[in-house]
Structures are given as structure tokens and as C-alpha cells.
Amino acid sequence: MSEQNERNEQPEKRDTPDKSEHRLRKELPEEVPARAPEPEPGPEPRTQEALTGRQRLVKGLWPPRVTRAQLIVAVLLFGLGFGLAVQVASNSDSDSALRGARQEDLVRILDELDSRTQRLEDEKQGLEKQRQELQSSSDRAAEARKQTAEKEKQLGILAGTVAAQGPGITMTIEDTKGTVKADMLLDAIQELRAAGAEAIQVNGVRVVAGTYFTDAGDSVGVDGNKINAPYRFKVIGKPQDLEPALNIPGGVVQTLEKEQATVTVQQSDKIVVDALRQAKRPDYARSSSQ
């Protein structure tokens, strides 16, 4: 009884905490240890000692940072240097070739250079000669045009197709009695031409090489144009020659005065002959240069 009572009084055996914890660990997955948070990147800690100027320069230059522009410049400089090296090498080769050439070769080279120089000089002289010919021909052409224009003016004055002005005289014949005839006026024209008259105009009619005078009752006809007294002559020429030619003894003035006409001659520095004639094309005459 006592033993049974001791068993009954003895407490029941239970699992210890170590065994239960071991059983739970078998049932649960393994624990993963938590990672510690990584520190955020921040500014590098400053060195305790300050860098020197040389160290900063080395740090800035190395490692090198090559840009596209620097690469292009480097390639160009390389090409330039290579071209200069090739040129120097070629010059050195030519110089060495000349140094090693024979005397006969050097003489031949000099002869070729002299021949080339002579050809260039001949070509230069030929071009200069052509230039001078062109200049002289252009000058001659300009002079010919100038002379042609001047000749045209002179012929126009003689033909009466252009107006003229210059020194000369004005002769006025007063004929109150109607005794002046066509032949007297024609004699006056002949005297004036012989004295060097270059342009003559009578009462608005231009006198030319083919001018003719006719009597028309109490008046006179000039190339078919009727003119009346007083007869006024405008003459261009040297006044010192024209006036004495009219006043010579037995000349035009004395002849007209015998016919009871009054003649007045006046010199002038400017006489204008502005009566014009139309240029008439000859029916039969042609230039011999055609």
C-alpha cells in the first residue's frame, strides 16, 4: 500500500522544456539571419593630409580623358607630320641622287633646265608681242574711228548736211533799185571760196558745191529758192582773209557799188551757219572702194 501510495503521490513525468523546444525546431523551417542594412553612399572621407599641387596635376591628367575633338586633332597632326616626313625624305632622296650623279648627267640636267628656261622666255616674249599688237591695233582702231567721225563732220559741213559755227564775216547787200543780178552774187561766192570760206549761207539757203544762181524778175533764185534783197551772206572762215578779198580794187564790193547797191562787211568771232541741205544720193557715181 505504501508503495502504491508513493507512486500515486509521485507526480507524473512530463516532457522537459528542452525536449519540446527540440521538437519545435524540427517542425519549423530554419531561421534565416537578417542582413544588416548597407550604409548609403556618401562623400568620400577627406584625407587627413591636403594634396600638393603636383599631386592634383597628376590626378587631373591621369587617367587621360580623350574627347572626340581631341582625337580628330590628333589624327590631323599625325597626317601633317607624316606628309612632312615624306616630303623631307623625297627631297633627301633627290639631293642624294644629285650628289651621286655623274658629271655627264649633271651637264645634261643643266642643259635641259637651260632649254626649258629659253622656251619659257620665248613664250613670254611672244605673249608680250601679242599684247602690244592688240594694244596698238585697238589704238589704231580707236584713232581710225576718231578720224572717221571727224572726217564725217568735215564732209557734212562741205555738203551742208550739218550746222557749222566759227569765226567769219557777215556781208549785207542792200539793193533798192533792183540792179543786183544773179551773176554778181555768184561772183561774190567765188571770191569768198577763193579766200578760204568753209561754209556759206545766203538768206537761209545753204551754199554747197552744186549751188546755182538764177535771175527771177526783181529777185534772185538760189538752187530754185527765191530770195529777195537785202541779200545777207553768212560766211565762216578767216575774217582777215575774207574781207580784203571782197574789197580788192575791181572786186565784188566796187562792182556792186557801181550798180548803186550798198555793201556792208562785218567781222565776227562767231558766225552760225545753220541752214541744212538734205543729202542726195547720186544716181550714177559710186565709191571706187566698193
Side-chain angles (χ1 to χ4, degrees):
M1 280 296 286
S2 61
E3 290 178 0
Q4 186 177 0
N5 291 335
E6 288 178 359
R7 283 193 304 265
N8 291 335
E9 289 178 2
Q10 186 177 358
E12 295 179 358
K13 292 183 180 181
R14 295 180 180 179
D15 294 333
T16 60
D18 293 337
K19 291 181 179 180
S20 61
E21 184 179 356
H22 182 69
R23 186 176 62 252
L24 288 175
R25 284 184 178 180
K26 287 183 178 180
E27 292 177 0
L28 293 176
E30 262 182 53
E31 293 182 2
V32 178
R35 293 183 180 180
E38 296 181 359
E40 294 182 357
E44 297 180 357
R46 296 183 179 178
T47 58
Q48 294 180 357
E49 297 180 0
L51 298 176
T52 63
R54 179 176 297 179
Q55 291 174 345
R56 287 198 301 271
L57 179 61
V58 172
K59 187 176 182 181
L61 294 177
W62 189 264
R65 299 178 181 86
V66 180
T67 62
R68 183 178 180 182
Q70 293 174 346
L71 182 61
I72 293 174
V73 172
V75 171
L76 293 177
L77 291 175
F78 175 76
L80 179 61
F82 182 75
L84 291 175
V86 171
Q87 185 176 1
V88 170
S90 62
N91 292 335
S92 300
D93 293 340
S94 61
D95 293 341
S96 61
L98 290 177
R99 291 192 191 97
R102 297 178 301 174
Q103 184 176 1
E104 294 80 3
D105 296 335
L106 294 175
V107 171
R108 179 176 54 80
I109 293 173
L110 289 176
D111 292 339
E112 291 179 356
L113 292 176
D114 292 339
S115 300
R116 184 180 302 177
T117 303
Q118 186 63 36
R119 287 196 302 270
L120 292 175
E121 188 67 26
D122 295 340
E123 185 177 357
K124 176 185 175 183
Q125 292 179 359
L127 292 175
E128 289 180 352
K129 184 178 180 181
Q130 291 180 3
R131 180 175 62 86
Q132 293 176 358
E133 289 178 354
L134 290 174
Q135 288 180 350
S136 61
S137 62
S138 61
D139 294 340
R140 286 197 299 267
E143 184 66 22
R145 287 193 296 269
K146 181 179 178 182
Q147 292 180 3
T148 301
E150 191 67 25
K151 191 69 174 179
E152 182 182 2
K153 292 180 181 179
Q154 294 176 1
L155 294 176
I157 292 173
L158 296 177
T161 57
V162 297
Q165 67 179 15
I169 63 170
T170 299
M171 181 176 66
T172 304
I173 301 174
E174 297 284 349
D175 182 20
T176 58
K177 298 185 179 294
T179 57
V180 177
K181 301 299 178 182
D183 59 341
M184 298 178 184
L185 298 182
L186 181 59
D187 290 341
I189 295 295
Q190 297 296 343
E191 288 290 343
L192 291 170
R193 283 177 173 171
E198 296 177 353
I200 304 173
Q201 175 178 321
V202 181
N203 285 33
V205 180
R206 187 71 169 267
V207 177
V208 294
T211 297
Y212 61 92
F213 290 82
T214 58
D215 291 323
D218 294 338
S219 60
V220 176
V222 182
D223 291 336
N225 299 303
K226 187 178 180 180
I227 61 175
N228 298 315
Y231 305 109
R232 182 171 289 103
F233 288 68
K234 291 184 178 180
V235 186
I236 295 177
K238 188 176 181 180
Q240 293 80 7
D241 294 338
L242 297 175
E243 184 176 2
L246 296 173
N247 290 318
I248 60 175
V252 174
V253 174
Q254 290 187 359
T255 301
L256 292 172
E257 288 177 350
K258 287 181 181 179
E259 297 296 332
Q260 299 181 357
T262 304
V263 181
T264 304
V265 180
Q266 183 179 1
Q267 298 184 12
S268 176
D269 293 334
K270 183 179 180 181
I271 300 294
V272 178
V273 176
D274 52 4
L276 302 180
R277 300 286 294 267
Q278 292 183 355
K280 182 180 178 182
R281 181 181 179 87
D283 296 331
Y284 304 102
R286 295 290 183 271
S287 174
S288 60
S289 60
Q290 291 181 353

